[in-house]
Amino acid sequence: MTKLILHHYPASPFAEKIRRVLGFKNLAWKSVIIPSVAPKPDVVALTGGYRKTPILQIGADIYCDTALICHVLEHEQPEPVLFPPHLKGVARVFAQWADTTLFWAAMAYNLQPRGAAEMFARLPPEAAKAFAEDRREMSAGTLRLRPADATAAYRSYLRRIAHMVEEHDFLFGAEPCVADFATYHPLWFTRVCTPAMAGIFEPVPAVVEWMDRIAALDGGRMEKFSAQDAITVAANAEPAPLLDDVFQDEHGIPLGSPVTVAAESFGQEPTAGELVAATRTRYTLRRTDPRAGTVHVHFPRIGYVLRKAEQ
């Protein structure tokens, strides 16, 4: 029985990252299409507040952030590997750069007026306005590159990526790793969602050829699923037993405390719950929702802020 449920929408670049990983690992998964903008009541029923895209659901366990989702999928299906032993450190560091610095440069370039107009050309004007307002709210406090600076940075990053894939089929050798999928998704957005901006790839044909190799890794098996059915799955399940990892207390907050977890920057909506795990790599909160029942919501440590809840 297919147990992986991905909550996503087609034009989400971070969702495309995970869709490519699912294909690479030839995993079966259920697809729940969610709104691209708030309100997202079905998402919040599972997460308690977090509303970035995508989220991965396995029963009553909800995994937030693609960095953590990649580790979960590696555990579910160890082969082919996302984190090769000889590349574990460099692949993680490179992926973090791609998910942050490269991503924001690419998106500031992509969503210049010409790209944004193309992206929303088939939608009513109110859809573009709603998207802009939603992302403005989610970006409060986030430093955004100006278009000219983003263009210069993106061109430089593409040249550096080209130098890597001129030597190998993938970034670090003959096989892809997590760094490839993290690097791919903002470039995919340029090419697929805002093709009017894709001329930036003309000086780097090796990058386009590498993207084609990533796109060809499409062995996953997708089944459509409804949001209500996904919530029912959670309500009828129990969270999986927690891994027997050592409690790592950096905040002076004991397990069992009421806490919140929120992203450091973009999309800072907090999730509140009971802290039931704080390991080297993740936080886990237990929370109960009238529709979804008791769930465990998991976040990576890197990029997220843990706070004791105000009483």
Side-chain angles (χ1 to χ4, degrees), residues 206-238:
V207 172
V208 175
E209 293 168 5
W210 163 78
M211 291 178 70
D212 289 341
R213 289 192 285 273
I214 296 289
L217 301 170
D218 193 20
R221 302 176 304 285
M222 185 270 284
E223 171 189 349
K224 293 181 180 179
F225 207 56
S226 75
Q228 183 54 56
D229 285 344
I231 291 171
T232 300
V233 166
N236 291 337
E238 294 290 335

Side-chain angles (χ1 to χ4, degrees), residues 167-179:
E167 298 295 326
H168 311 285
D169 280 352
F170 298 99
L171 292 177
F172 291 102
E175 302 296 334
C177 67
V178 68

